[in-house]
Amino acid sequence: MKPNPCIECGACCASFRVSFYWGETDAAPGGLVPARLTQPIAPHHVAMLGTDQAQPHCIALQGTVGQPVSCTIYALRSSTCREFTASWEHGEHNPVCDRARAKYGLPPLPPSGV
Ligand code: SF4
Ligand code: SF4
């Protein structure tokens, strides 16, 4: 099995605003994302701290983009993070992954099997 490319990337966690419904935070019953790591951005939506700015960088990202990185709240991350897949991970191209990687000088991931 090919290694997960994300463990030496993290570019998407430091490229975009990561927002989601506030009910995903632990301020709501059943919510998981630590609310203390989020900020309100709309009446019913929050963003991960550090991502609602000109140079986004999620507060939960540990390490340097392009080197070994980890998400300090991996098991508690939002649906936005869970649903964002590395390009070709499920056989589908994700141009947004490519864009994030390009921002940090990383090449696009090759299609599976290449
Ligand atoms: S919560 Fe974790 S997976 Fe989501 S943007 Fe932040 S570091 Fe990345
Ligand atoms: S930009 Fe793509 S390869 Fe990099 S961490 Fe995000 S999903 Fe993974």
Side-chain angles (χ1 to χ4, degrees):
M1 209 169 99
K2 282 213 287 193
N4 180 348
C6 301
I7 61 174
E8 290 198 355
C9 181
C12 55
C13 309
S15 294
F16 311 111
R17 186 171 78 172
V18 179
S19 61
F20 45 93
Y21 178 58
W22 80 274
E24 291 193 41
T25 72
D26 60 10
L32 293 178
V33 185
R36 66 187 166 80
L37 301 183
T38 68
Q39 65 178 101
I41 52 162
H44 300 292
H45 284 80
V46 297
M48 288 304 295
L49 280 177
T51 68
D52 188 27
Q53 56 193 41
Q55 301 288 333
H57 192 285
C58 180
I59 192 171
L61 180 67
Q62 194 167 59
T64 303
V65 173
Q67 294 177 27
V69 289
S70 62
C71 170
T72 56
I73 60 161
Y74 190 75
L76 306 175
R77 70 200 192 286
S78 70
S79 59
T80 306
C81 302
R82 290 171 194 275
E83 288 162 12
F84 192 91
T85 53
S87 209
W88 307 111
E89 187 181 341
H90 302 298
E92 273 178 40
H93 182 211
N94 179 358
V96 187
C97 168
D98 291 353
R99 212 161 73 224
R101 288 175 60 86
K103 191 174 163 197
Y104 289 91
L106 299 167
L109 295 173
S112 320
V114 174

